[in-house]
């Protein structure tokens, strides 16, 4: 498709399990972002990639969270030993380039994670 | 203090009304500013950029006040379809976009 694709769209898991969320950005977009949105809350920045490197990982909440991007395309966000407070919608976005910053991020529909 | 702050609302206005939202940011070195719109249970989408001189796009006007570190969004002649959450977005430094928690607008007939 032409847009940002995320999978799974919904994931229910038990506390303590690991989960992997996938993002397929728009072809040719070099920048890729992960945000978290808890119910009724704003978007919380997690990490962004410029190509395959991650210049800013400052938003990752704990060492249980990690992300990688390969081939300047697909990215995976991994949450180890999930906790109930990890329940949220995880949004991925991509943009064409970083300079000048157009501010236009194209978001996927998100992966809704529920930790029981 | 949060990096980007918005009044969560909700703002309930009748069709045809004019409504304005403000957003304040804490880092004076912020470079770029944007308004995004997010419909219920949907992903955010860019509404408009905010330029230093102010800018208009149809019924929407955005303004930036660097001295007071706030940006505003004015919506004229509100439509039912304008009902959404409006997110203020600030670029603190290269490539990192910080989103506010959003202001919810409900336009009623």
């Amino acid at each position: 498709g032409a847009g940002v694709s995320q999978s799974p769209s919904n994931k229910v898991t038990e506390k303590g399990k690991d989960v992997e969320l996938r993002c397929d950005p728009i072809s040719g977009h070099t920048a890729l972002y992960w945000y978290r949105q808890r119910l009724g809350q704003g978007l919380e920045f997690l990490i962004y990639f410029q190509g395959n490197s991650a210049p800013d990982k400052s938003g990752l909440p704990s060492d249980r969270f990690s992300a990688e991007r390969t081939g300047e395309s697909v990215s995976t966000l991994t949450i180890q030993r999930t906790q109930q407070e990890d329940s949220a919608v995880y949004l991925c976005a991509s943009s064409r380039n970083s300079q000048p910053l157009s501010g236009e991020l194209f978001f996927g529909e998100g992966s809704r994670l529920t930790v029981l | 203090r949060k990096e980007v702050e918005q009044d969560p609302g909700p703002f309930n206005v009748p069709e045809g009304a004019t409504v304005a939202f403000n957003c304040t940011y804490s880092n004076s070195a912020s470079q770029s500013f944007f308004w995004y719109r997010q419909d219920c249970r949907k992903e955010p989408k860019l509404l408009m950029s905010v330029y230093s001189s102010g800018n208009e796009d149809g019924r929407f006007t955005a303004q930036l006040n660097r001295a007071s570190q706030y940006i505003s969004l004015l919506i004229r002649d509100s439509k039912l379809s304008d009902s959404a959450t409006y997110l203020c977005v600030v670029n603190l430094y290269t490539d990192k976009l910080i989103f506010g928690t959003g202001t919810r607008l409900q336009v009623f007939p």
Side-chain angles (χ1 to χ4, degrees):
Chain A
V4 175
S5 176
Q6 291 188 246
S7 62
S9 54
N10 272 290
K11 175 73 176 178
V12 180
T13 191
E14 293 180 348
K15 179 181 172 181
K17 301 281 191 183
D18 296 353
V19 297
E20 206 170 83
L21 308 177
R22 176 189 166 109
C23 174
D24 209 332
I26 294 172
S27 178
H29 280 195
T30 56
L32 184 148
Y33 302 76
W34 283 100
Y35 289 87
R36 176 169 72 177
Q37 188 171 32
R38 291 193 169 109
L39 187 64
Q41 304 292 312
L43 274 70
E44 179 185 358
F45 172 83
L46 297 178
I47 187 172
Y48 94 91
F49 291 89
Q50 186 56 245
N52 292 341
S53 66
D56 191 337
K57 303 180 183 180
S58 63
L60 293 177
S62 74
D63 58 8
R64 295 186 296 105
F65 287 72
S66 62
E68 64 176 20
R69 187 181 185 193
T70 55
E72 293 197 357
S73 57
V74 173
S75 175
T76 54
L77 176 68
T78 302
I79 309 173
Q80 295 178 307
R81 305 181 302 282
T82 52
Q83 303 293 313
Q84 288 182 330
E85 63 261 27
D86 299 334
S87 297
V89 176
Y90 289 82
L91 289 161
C92 174
S94 69
S95 68
R96 187 169 291 114
N97 55 44
S98 60
Q99 293 298 335
L101 184 64
S102 72
E104 184 155 26
L105 301 186
F106 295 84
F107 282 86
E109 294 186 347
S111 291
R112 183 176 300 275
L113 174 65
T114 303
V115 182
L116 301 177
Chain B
R1 183 182 173 188
K2 288 184 180 177
E3 293 165 311
V4 180
E5 292 201 66
Q6 297 183 250
D7 180 345
F11 285 61
N12 296 304
V13 302
E15 274 186 290
T18 296
V19 62
F21 312 132
N22 284 339
C23 162
T24 58
Y25 58 95
S26 61
N27 193 323
S28 60
S30 299
Q31 300 172 348
S32 309
F33 310 87
F34 312 92
W35 284 102
Y36 271 68
R37 169 189 170 135
Q38 186 174 27
D39 292 301
C40 188
R41 301 179 79 86
K42 296 285 190 181
E43 70 275 20
K45 293 184 180 178
L46 178 66
L47 178 65
M48 61 195 300
S49 301
V50 185
Y51 302 122
S52 298
S53 55
N55 49 297
E56 194 172 299
D57 183 1
R59 297 181 293 107
F60 298 82
T61 300
Q63 292 197 311
L64 167 64
N65 185 320
R66 284 192 183 271
S68 300
Q69 294 180 208
Y70 78 82
I71 68 173
S72 63
L73 178 67
L74 181 80
I75 305 175
R76 290 182 300 277
D77 189 22
S78 299
K79 311 292 185 190
L80 294 176
S81 57
D82 294 335
S83 298
T85 296
Y86 291 84
L87 304 168
C88 171
V89 185
V90 174
N91 164 230
L92 290 182
Y93 50 86
T94 303
D95 294 334
K96 183 174 179 178
L97 293 179
I98 300 298
F99 284 72
T101 53
T103 298
R104 190 171 151 221
L105 171 66
Q106 184 67 48
V107 181
F108 57 88

